[in-house]
Structure formats: structure tokens, C-alpha cells
Amino acid sequence: MMNHFMILAVLLHLRTCYTTYSQQESSVFPVRYLNISKDSDLQRLLVEWDVVKSAHDAELAMSFEIQVRRTDEATTVWTEFHNVTLDKLEKPLHWTWDSDIPLECMSHAVRIRSKAEASKIWSQWSLWETVPGLDTSNRSGPLIFPKEKFLAEGSDITLCCIGRKGQTIKEFSVYPTVDVFKHTNSPVRLLTVENLSHDKGSNIQVYCYDEDGESHEAAFFVGRPPDTPKDFSCQTQDMKRVTCTWTEGETYLYGRNSPQYNLSETSSQNMSLCEASCSKQCSCSWDIGQQRIWNVTLTVENPLGKKTATDVFDIKHRIYPTAPLQVWEDSTDTEITLHWNYEKIGIELFWQTEVLQPDGKVELHNSSDMESRHKRVTVRGLQPYTEYTARVRCGAAKHFWRWSEWSPPLPIRTKEGTPSGKLDMWREITPVLGGQNVTLFWKKTRSFQANGKIISYEVTWEKLEDGSKPESFSFSSVYNSTRIFIDNHSYRISIMAKNNVNFSLPSVLIISGAPDNSTEELKEGLVNGTDDGILISWEPRSIYDSYIIDWCNFPRLQPCDLQWKRFGPNTSSAVISSAAFVPGVRYKFRIYGSVANKASILEKKIGYLRELPPRLDPVVRKVDLTYHSVTLSWDSYLTDESEPGFLRGYHVYVSPIQGNCNLKGSKKHLLPDDSELCKYTIENPEEKRYTVEHLMPNTKYKIVVKAFTGGGETPIVNFRYIDTPYNSNMLYFVFLLVIVPTLVAAVCHWKMKWVKECCCPVIPSPNKSKVLSFKECKIDSEKVLKINDCIPDVLAMDNNDEAQKLHPVTWSPLSSTPTEEQIDGHNFSWIYPSENVARDFPPPSMPETHTCFENFAYSSPLEAESDPCQIPETLEAGKTAVMLYQPQCYLDIFHEDTASTTRETADRKKSLRYISQTDLRCLGGRL
């Protein structure tokens, strides 16, 4: 039973699987047919296909996978999924693909498979449908594809060259040379040009050659598609004809390929309204007729594209009047009237007049329309005898659209009028015998207006005290100064300018009768130049209503061209500037205070725009030298008006010929060649003498004196050279340190023997002593010193303790036998013998008694043999710390009770043995 149920379960599962598979098979809708064509102009594949009728009936949403490949490439070059919902009309499906290379270059194949979007199963692929290229056809020569065409700037293009069957392409190139990418892995030669530009020309030429020299060439034009027309608008000037204008864009295509324009009414675009013409601006005109509202479309097209622009307008709102013509004028001294004629156009206009003034300012005057054909406008408030430029334009008073063009500019000069303002007059007074010469100067100020052409100036002067008749004189307009003579009375002088209409107001000066002698007593103050001019300041006085400063632009010329400038009562400083001011020229300024037209001098100033270095250096007339200083004296320096600056002092420069300068009290100064000088500054320009101290004797120095101003000093070029003398005190010091020691050394060398004997006497060697020269004085080949042969000239005591053990031994120089003698006790010390030898002793006049004791350089034969360095026992007992430099006999006088007996002395003498000190190698270290 169990097996039966298992078999039924398996059969049921298999039935379910079969049913599912059958349903899946029924949901697959393969492509029923496939057709491919190409559009060579657009280089585009056109694909058409369809599926079975049941899919259309079910109105299924389908997905199609489309693949494209080329015959020379093994892989697919394009894959795309195309989704569509089918309908019951059974319309074929379409798809397009743009190729990146010309379709003529090689064959292209397409295949498609499908599936319902609700299904997961794709149908089988359709067969490849191929569109053959020209690479498989027979050709008479090489061909370039695509054919000649227009290319958009910035785009890329791939070209191909197909040779004859069995022929290889030898060369495939582009001119002018551009960046290209060549494909050389195919019998068909490909060439890609990227980012096309018109910079190297509006067209490019392509050349192709095969092995047999057969060639083909093609031209391609590079440009831009047209832009949307800019500034497109339409207007009318006379309400009879409409004109539309716009700005043409650059396409880099010319001739028959240039943009083509078509202007049409939007409702009937097939009918052109007019033919456009383009120069700086494009325009197109047509008659209005009775139509008032317009809707026009402008189309611009070239081989690369097409653009349109639209304008909708009411013709009465687009009035652009014509410019007024034949404008004329009439004028007075302060106003002008413009006239012109203008034809009526059926609408109200208003007018605008522009007046250009001499200073460049522009005034606009608006006026309304007048009914008559003759139009005019008056402009008032103008200056007399002044040239203006006027022009007129108009616009619609209602629904203003645009101003007309300006009428041609019309120059106009107003009539002359009475001069306004006063001339600015000044004077220069020179006292002479019996009176004063007064030189008058005048000029126009900003407030003075001639209001015409000045034809003359009239000068009048009259005496103030007695009211006598005034005198006057007229001068031509070319003059600006004159000279008159007046006596020593006060005078009123005036001047007026005259044009063809009238005189100006008089300008007045009052001249005092007595000459002003205070000028000579004023001290000239110094003023400084600035970047803008020369700064003048003065002390203000409340009694004056104005101040005047005068000066000469060219002070070295006579007579100078006097200049002056006026200032208000609250001014106490001013910067005087002039184009004539130059550096290095001294200018004089006089400051006057004026009240009621009468001027009095207040201060005098002198200064420079900029000071320059002096032209000359001081002439040094005298140089006084010592071994450590130099005193320079020079002439007084000229400080007249011709100097280019105010003398401020002097600089003295000093330096040794060898080495750098570091004199006390000086400052370092570097020359352009980096050499170093010592610099001393004399700030008193009246000083004519200076002393430089702390010099080295017997040294050569270079020195120079330079004058300096506020502008500095001239470069150092020439030096004066000096040699300081020797220092006599130094010579004396050198004499003491060198000459005297040298003389002493010479004398010492000359008396060398005497000096040596006095300072370093010769110590005799025991081996060379005559005492030891006898044969009987030898013991075992060693020389033995006999005490009785030792005749010392100085006694020395070895040690008190040792001396007490010895008995005095007395002998006579005439006898070799010693005798004992009682000697009084006394304090004693060691006495070293002198270096005189025995032969130098004088003969004794009487017998002398001497005491002899043993020399520690002697020892018994037994002790010397056992230890030659051993010190005698008697020496150790005394703790003597004396070095034995040479063998000698020590003698002393001591007490009788401490002396040894004669016998002990004789016994010791017999047992003594002489040992040379040169053999006692250890003696010095043990003492």
C-alpha cells in the first residue's frame, strides 16, 4: 500500500512540471521577421521587426534585446534593450541606431530576441540580418566616406577609405594638420578627427592613396549652427512701412552656405513678407497696409541647423520717428532758439534738445509738439560769447517706443555781453629820484568773464590828496603789464577791460606816497619744498582783509616775470606751485597784507623746490700736521643766490691708505666701491677750521672736505694725501728699549771673559788639581786628597753636632803638620769657601792657624766599595740637607771641648778615601 502511494506522488509531481513547462513555452513570442535598411545621409540604421499575432492580441508588454555588430569585428559593438507595449493593430516595431563610422565602410548586422515582461524566459535569437557595406563591392579606385558634408564645431568625425579589391591603402591623411586617431588594424583604413575647430580654416581636406597611386579626396566644412536672432524687433517711422531688425550671429559658413533668413507672418509661415539684407545689422521691410496687429516669425537656417524668433506688436506702439533735418538757430548773449521743419505722421510727438557746454557738461531741454509744421525750441541761461553745440530728437508722446536719431550737431556762439567781474591787478614799486616807478601787472581770474572779445585795457591813476584830474591810458589786449611814474604822494590806480559792448568793473590799488623802507629791514625766512610745490606760511594779522604772495618764476632773468596769488583773511599758509619751478633754483617770496586795496609787506621768504648738492667743494688752504692730528683750514664758502641749496655745514672724510678707518669720534661712511671712510660732521656753515685727532704717526692718510646742503653733497672723487710725522717720544722710548740693551749686550760680549769670571767663576775639578797630580797620592788607581795639602781661603762649618765630635786641627801654611789650638766658644754657621783657587792666595805675612775636619765626600774604602751611594754615618747623624755640588774641604772654628783629638783626626785622615762627586749618583736623592 505504501509503495502505491509513493508512485502516485511521483506521477503527480511529473504532471505538475510538464504543465509548467508547457505554459512557459506558450509565453515565448519569437521575432517573426526582421528587416534592416540604412540612411546614408544621417549614417543611421533603420530596423523593423514584428512578433507573432498572439502577442498583439494579448497586448503584451514586451522587451527586446537588440545587438549590432560589424563584419570585421568578432564582438558586438552595440547592445540595447527596447521596451514596448503591443497593440491589436499589429503595427511593425521600429528602432534606429546612429553609427559612429560611415555605414559604407563595412557591413553591419543586427539580431533581436524578445520576452514578455511578465516572463523570465527569452526567445531564441533571430538570425543576423546584414546591411552590406561597400567594402565587399568591386571599385575602380579608393573611396572616402562619408561624402562631403558640413561638420559642427567641437564635434568628432570618423572617416574611412576603402581601396580597390585586393589593394592596400598606402596613405590616409587630413589637411590642415589636426589631431587624429588612426585605425590600422583593418583592410579598411579609418581615421578619427576629434574636437573640430574653425581656427585652422573653415574646411578640411582629406586625401587617400592606394598602392597603385590611385587617389580620392573629399572636403568637409566646419562651422556653427545658427543662433537665435538677437535684438529682434520691428518698428515704423512713418506709419506706412514696417522694418524689422536683428543682429546676425557668426557661423563661419559663407557664400551659399551662409545663414538664410525668412520673415513671415506666424499664421501663414509659407508666405515670406520680405527679403532680408545684412551688413552690420540685418533688416527686412514691408508695407503695413490696413493691418494694425502683427505676429511675425523670423527663421534662420544653415546646413547645420535652424532657429526661429517671434515678435508680436501693435504698430502704433512701435513708433520710431525719423531725425529732424535742416535745423537752424538765432541767439542773443544769454539764449539760443533752434528751428526745424518736420512732416506730420499722424501721431503726437515730443522733442528733446541737447546743449553741449564748453566744459563738456550736457544739458537736456524737453518740449511738447506744436501743431504747425515749423518747430522751434528756446534754451535760456547761457553765457555770453560762448560756443555751444546743440542737436534735437523726438519720440512718440503716447506709447513711447524709441527716440529718433539725433539731428546733425549745430555749433552756436552766443552774442557778446558786458564783461563781468574784475581783473586781478598787482604792482611792483621801485623808488626813484623824485617819486616812484610803479610796474602794473594784471590777469584774468576765474571770476572774471570777458563775455566777448577783449579789445583793450584802460589804466587810470589819480592823486588822492588834492583831487587833481585823473590820468588814463589805453593798452592793447595783447599786453598784461605797464609802467607809470608817480610822485611821492598817494595814488589810486585802477584798470578795466573793454570788449565790443562795454567796460568791466574797475580793479583798484592804493599806492602810499612815502617809500616803504621796511622791506630792507625784514629778515628772509627759509621755506621748504614739497611734492606739490613750495610751502609758505606767515603770521596772520586780524587787520587785513586779504593776503598777497608774489614771486618770480624765473628769478635769474631781469626783469623777471612777476607772479602773485591772493588769499583770504583766514589763511596763514599756502603751497605755491608752478610749472616753471625747477630744483636747485632759489626763489624769493614776499608776503603782503592788504586792507582797503592798500598793501603792506609783512614777511620775506626764500626757498627751493628741492635743494641740490653744492656745485663746488671748499678750497683747503692750510694743513697743519702733528704726529697724531691734522688741522685743516679752508676759505669762506660762497653762499650767493646762484647756489643750488642752503649751505648746512661740512663733512670731513679721513681714511688711512692701508686698512679701514676707526678713529675715535667719527662715523663710518661707505663709498660706492665699499671702501670705508671716517666721517666728521661740522654743522656750523661759518666754521672754516677743523682738527682731526687720534691719527697714527708715520702713516699716510687721504682726506677731503665736502660742503653739504639740504640736497646732500656731491660724490667724493678727489682726495688730498697727507703723511703724519714720526713721534719723537716714541723714538726715545724705542731708544731705551732697544738701543741701550743692545749696547749693554755688546759690552758684555766684548768683556765676556771678565763677566764670566765675575758672575760664573770656574770651579776646579778634583781630578785636575795639582795636589792630586803626584804619583804617591794614588791608592788603587784612585787619586787621594791629603788634607794637609788643602789650604782653603774660607771656612765653612758642616754641622754643630758633627763639629762637636771633631777636635780642632791647626796647621800652618808653611808646615804640613797640624797643631791643636784652644778656640773660644762662639755661635757659628756654615760658610762656603770662595771660588778662588789656592794660587790666588796672597803670601801670608805671618803663620796662620787652621782647623781641618773631614769632607763628607770621603769615606773608608770598605764603605765605598760596599755602597758607593752610601752617605757617611757622620752625615746622617747631623741630618744635613746640603747638596754636595763639588768636592771641597769644609773648615770651621769651633769649641775646644767639642773637637776631636789630634790622634783621632790623624786616624780618620788615614782612613779617608776620596770619591768624585760625579760618581755619587744617588747622593742628591738621599740627602
Side-chain angles (χ1 to χ4, degrees):
M1 181 64 67
M2 182 63 68
N3 292 335
H4 177 71
F5 282 112
M6 291 180 63
I7 293 172
L8 288 177
V10 171
L11 291 176
L12 182 60
H13 177 71
L14 290 175
R15 179 180 176 84
T16 302
C17 291
Y18 175 77
T19 302
T20 304
Y21 178 75
S22 299
Q23 291 176 352
Q24 290 178 349
E25 284 292 324
S26 62
S27 64
V28 174
F29 305 93
V31 174
R32 183 162 58 90
Y33 84 94
L34 176 63
N35 183 38
I36 302 175
S37 61
K38 65 182 178 182
D39 185 342
S40 299
D41 293 335
L42 298 177
Q43 293 297 317
R44 178 176 295 170
L45 283 178
L46 306 176
V47 182
E48 183 181 81
W49 76 97
D50 201 357
V51 293
V52 295
K53 182 177 182 300
S54 59
H56 285 279
D57 293 338
E59 296 182 345
L60 294 176
M62 301 287 293
S63 293
F64 299 92
E65 183 178 1
I66 307 172
Q67 289 185 346
V68 181
R69 76 175 183 182
R70 298 188 178 108
T71 55
D72 66 333
E73 298 181 12
T75 60
T76 300
V77 297
W78 190 263
T79 298
E80 184 174 320
F81 293 92
H82 182 69
N83 299 320
V84 66
T85 300
L86 302 178
D87 57 21
K88 294 181 179 181
L89 298 177
E90 300 185 20
K91 293 181 179 180
L93 303 176
H94 296 88
W95 177 77
T96 59
W97 178 70
D98 294 330
S99 176
D100 57 345
I101 67 172
L103 295 176
E104 295 86 352
C105 297
M106 57 190 68
S107 300
H108 289 73
V110 177
R111 68 175 182 176
I112 303 176
R113 67 174 180 174
S114 65
K115 80 174 184 68
E117 289 187 359
S119 174
K120 297 182 179 179
I121 301 175
W122 286 94
S123 69
Q124 296 293 324
W125 284 105
S126 67
L127 298 177
W128 287 102
E129 188 71 22
T130 301
V131 175
L134 297 180
D135 55 333
T136 60
S137 62
N138 293 325
R139 297 165 303 280
S140 59
L143 295 176
I144 297 174
F145 293 99
K147 295 180 180 180
E148 295 182 353
K149 62 182 297 186
F150 296 91
L151 305 174
E153 182 182 33
S155 63
D156 302 337
I157 184 173
T158 298
L159 308 170
C160 74
C161 182
I162 307 172
R164 291 182 295 170
K165 196 168 186 178
Q167 291 289 328
T168 302
I169 301 301
K170 185 177 181 180
E171 182 181 352
F172 191 26
S173 59
V174 175
Y175 180 85
T177 303
V178 294
D179 296 331
V180 298
F181 175 68
K182 296 182 179 180
H183 308 263
T184 59
N185 58 351
S186 172
V188 177
R189 296 289 295 275
L190 299 176
L191 185 148
T192 300
V193 182
E194 298 178 341
N195 193 20
L196 290 166
S197 173
H198 67 276
D199 294 341
K200 296 184 178 181
S202 60
N203 62 78
I204 59 174
Q205 301 289 332
V206 183
Y207 302 93
C208 181
Y209 300 90
D210 62 11
E211 291 178 325
D212 293 340
E214 295 292 333
S215 66
H216 185 226
E217 64 180 67
F220 298 88
F221 298 92
V222 180
R224 292 178 179 175
D227 292 329
T228 300
K230 297 179 180 178
D231 305 323
F232 176 55
S233 65
C234 301
Q235 60 270 329
T236 182
Q237 290 186 322
D238 54 6
M239 293 296 291
K240 297 177 182 179
R241 191 170 179 83
V242 173
T243 300
C244 293
T245 58
W246 63 92
T247 302
E248 185 179 25
E250 182 61 71
T251 62
Y252 304 105
L253 297 176
Y254 308 103
R256 60 185 179 89
N257 301 318
S258 60
Q260 302 298 314
Y261 296 96
N262 180 53
L263 191 64
S264 61
E265 194 171 11
T266 305
S267 59
S268 56
Q269 294 188 6
N270 294 330
M271 184 182 68
S272 177
L273 293 174
C274 57
E275 184 177 349
S277 62
C278 295
S279 55
K280 292 183 180 179
Q281 190 179 44
C282 295
S283 64
C284 188
S285 301
W286 72 94
D287 293 334
I288 298 174
Q290 299 300 318
Q291 187 173 341
R292 178 179 175 182
I293 306 298
W294 290 86
N295 185 352
V296 295
T297 299
L298 174 64
T299 303
V300 54
E301 184 177 6
N302 73 358
L304 294 174
K306 180 171 66 173
K307 293 291 178 63
T308 61
T310 302
D311 189 14
V312 179
F313 59 93
D314 184 338
I315 194 63
K316 288 189 176 181
H317 297 177
R318 295 292 181 89
I319 305 299
Y320 175 53
T322 58
L325 300 176
Q326 298 180 350
V327 180
W328 68 95
E329 51 80 25
D330 58 53
S331 65
T332 65
D333 60 340
T334 59
E335 63 182 38
I336 58 175
T337 301
L338 300 177
H339 304 266
W340 68 93
N341 293 325
Y342 198 84
E343 294 291 339
K344 289 186 177 182
I345 60 174
I347 61 172
E348 183 182 358
L349 301 176
F350 75 97
W351 305 89
Q352 188 175 73
T353 304
E354 179 191 79
V355 178
L356 178 63
Q357 299 184 4
D359 58 1
K361 292 183 179 179
V362 174
E363 289 185 1
L364 297 176
H365 301 268
N366 295 326
S367 59
S368 59
D369 197 8
M370 291 166 283
E371 294 296 331
S372 65
R373 179 175 177 272
H374 177 75
K375 315 291 183 181
R376 67 179 180 179
V377 62
T378 300
V379 180
R380 297 178 176 82
L382 304 179
Q383 294 295 325
Y385 201 68
T386 303
E387 186 167 332
Y388 297 91
T389 300
R391 58 182 183 173
V392 181
R393 65 181 178 178
C394 61
K398 296 180 180 179
H399 308 296
F400 177 82
W401 165 249
R402 186 176 294 176
W403 284 109
S404 71
E405 296 295 326
W406 286 105
S407 66
L410 178 66
I412 306 171
R413 180 180 289 275
T414 54
K415 298 292 190 293
E416 291 189 60
T418 301
S420 61
K422 300 178 182 180
L423 295 173
D424 187 3
M425 181 173 60
W426 188 236
R427 84 295 185 275
E428 187 174 30
I429 302 174
T430 305
V432 293
L433 182 63
Q436 304 175 85
N437 282 336
V438 179
T439 303
L440 299 175
F441 303 87
W442 59 87
K443 61 184 178 181
K444 299 176 182 178
T445 63
R446 292 182 179 179
S447 61
F448 177 82
Q449 298 294 329
N451 294 336
K453 184 178 181 181
I454 299 297
I455 58 177
S456 65
Y457 298 101
E458 184 164 321
V459 177
T460 302
W461 63 96
E462 59 180 327
K463 192 181 298 185
L464 295 178
E465 284 85 352
D466 56 6
S468 59
K469 183 180 178 179
E471 299 180 56
S472 64
F473 192 83
S474 182
F475 301 92
S476 171
S477 62
V478 299
Y479 294 100
N480 63 353
S481 66
T482 188
R483 177 181 294 177
I484 62 173
F485 173 79
I486 59 175
D487 57 23
N488 291 323
H489 292 84
S490 296
Y491 277 81
R492 179 182 182 272
I493 302 175
S494 64
I495 186 171
M496 296 183 294
K498 183 179 184 302
N499 63 11
N500 290 316
V501 177
N502 205 341
F503 286 97
S504 68
L505 295 175
S507 179
V508 178
L509 286 176
I510 304 297
I511 306 298
S512 299
D516 190 359
N517 297 323
S518 62
T519 303
E520 300 178 357
E521 300 176 359
L522 292 175
K523 185 178 180 181
E524 295 177 331
L526 303 183
V527 293
N528 299 319
T530 66
D531 293 337
D532 301 323
I534 299 176
L535 177 62
I536 310 294
S537 60
W538 61 91
E539 183 181 350
R541 281 84 163 176
S542 60
I543 62 174
Y544 297 110
D545 54 27
S546 64
Y547 297 95
I548 303 99
I549 300 177
D550 69 3
W551 72 93
C552 291
N553 274 342
F554 304 96
R556 297 175 184 175
L557 297 179
Q558 292 298 329
C560 78
D561 59 330
L562 187 68
Q563 307 291 319
W564 71 98
K565 193 171 184 179
R566 295 180 181 272
F567 301 93
N570 298 322
T571 306
S572 61
S573 65
V575 174
I576 305 300
S577 60
S578 172
F581 286 168
V582 294
V585 175
R586 183 181 297 181
Y587 297 96
K588 294 184 177 181
F589 300 89
R590 293 176 295 191
I591 305 170
Y592 295 85
S594 176
V595 57
N597 298 323
K598 183 177 180 180
S600 302
I601 190 167
L602 303 179
E603 299 179 26
K604 297 170 70 175
K605 305 285 185 179
I606 56 174
Y608 296 83
L609 179 66
R610 187 175 74 250
E611 295 186 54
L612 298 179
R615 290 192 297 269
L616 301 174
D617 293 328
V619 179
V620 178
R621 295 296 185 185
K622 186 177 180 182
V623 178
D624 296 327
L625 285 170
T626 68
Y627 64 87
H628 65 81
S629 67
V630 58
T631 300
L632 305 173
S633 301
W634 55 87
D635 294 340
S636 297
Y637 195 84
L638 296 178
T639 57
D640 56 14
E641 297 179 2
S642 64
E643 283 300 309
F646 296 118
L647 182 65
R648 307 301 174 98
Y650 304 93
H651 288 145
V652 179
Y653 297 95
V654 184
S655 177
I657 298 300
Q658 302 294 333
N660 294 328
C661 184
N662 53 1
L663 297 179
K664 184 179 179 181
S666 66
K667 295 182 179 180
K668 291 185 179 180
H669 178 79
L670 292 178
L671 294 177
D673 60 356
D674 292 334
S675 58
E676 190 177 286
L677 302 177
C678 284
K679 177 181 177 181
Y680 298 89
T681 301
I682 305 169
E683 295 183 351
N684 181 10
E686 303 296 329
E687 187 67 52
K688 299 185 291 293
R689 177 186 174 92
Y690 191 76
T691 300
V692 180
E693 298 181 342
H694 308 292
L695 301 181
M696 295 295 294
N698 191 29
T699 304
K700 190 169 187 177
Y701 288 88
K702 57 184 179 181
I703 192 167
V704 66
V705 179
K706 305 288 289 185
F708 68 90
T709 66
E713 63 186 20
T714 56
I716 300 174
V717 177
N718 299 319
F719 286 93
R720 184 165 186 163
Y721 295 89
I722 59 173
D723 293 293
T724 54
Y726 287 96
N727 188 348
S728 59
N729 294 333
M730 183 64 68
L731 291 176
Y732 180 71
F733 183 70
V734 170
F735 177 79
L736 291 178
L737 289 181
V738 178
I739 304 302
V740 172
T742 302
L743 292 175
V744 172
V747 171
C748 291
H749 181 73
W750 180 43
K751 290 293 186 177
M752 179 64 71
K753 183 176 180 181
W754 177 79
V755 172
K756 184 176 181 181
E757 290 177 353
C758 290
C759 298
C760 302
V762 178
I763 301 174
S765 174
N767 290 330
K768 296 180 180 180
S769 176
K770 294 179 180 181
V771 179
L772 305 177
S773 63
F774 302 100
K775 295 181 180 180
E776 61 274 12
C777 294
K778 294 183 179 180
I779 300 176
D780 295 334
S781 72
E782 292 184 354
K783 294 182 179 182
V784 179
L785 176 65
K786 295 182 180 181
I787 296 179
N788 58 348
D789 291 332
C790 178
I791 305 176
D793 55 353
V794 178
L795 300 179
M797 181 167 58
D798 185 12
N799 189 287
N800 287 342
D801 297 335
E802 185 66 21
Q804 292 176 0
K805 299 178 182 179
L806 301 177
H807 294 283
V809 179
T810 305
W811 74 86
S812 172
L814 299 179
S815 172
S816 60
T817 305
T819 60
E820 297 181 5
E821 185 177 1
Q822 185 72 29
I823 301 174
D824 295 335
H826 62 278
N827 294 330
F828 52 86
S829 61
W830 285 100
I831 303 175
Y832 289 91
S834 70
E835 297 182 1
N836 295 331
V837 296
R839 63 176 178 268
D840 294 329
F841 289 168
S845 60
M846 59 179 295
E848 295 180 4
T849 301
H850 299 278
T851 302
C852 181
F853 56 89
E854 66 177 322
N855 188 337
F856 296 125
Y858 292 86
S859 63
S860 63
L862 181 59
E863 292 173 345
E865 290 177 2
S866 61
D867 189 358
C869 296
Q870 183 67 36
I871 299 176
E873 181 182 359
T874 57
L875 181 61
E876 294 178 357
K879 305 296 183 180
T880 303
V882 179
M883 297 287 295
L884 298 180
Y885 292 101
Q886 54 190 1
Q888 53 189 337
C889 188
Y890 294 92
L891 304 176
D892 198 3
I893 300 174
F894 43 82
H895 294 87
E896 179 182 5
D897 55 358
T898 61
S900 302
T901 63
T902 303
R903 185 186 183 98
E904 290 175 341
T905 302
D907 292 340
R908 180 176 296 183
K909 181 174 61 177
K910 290 180 182 181
S911 64
L912 287 177
R913 177 184 181 191
Y914 175 75
I915 299 175
S916 175
Q917 290 182 1
T918 59
D919 294 335
L920 297 178
R921 294 179 300 273
C922 301
L923 183 60
R926 298 178 62 184
L927 286 177

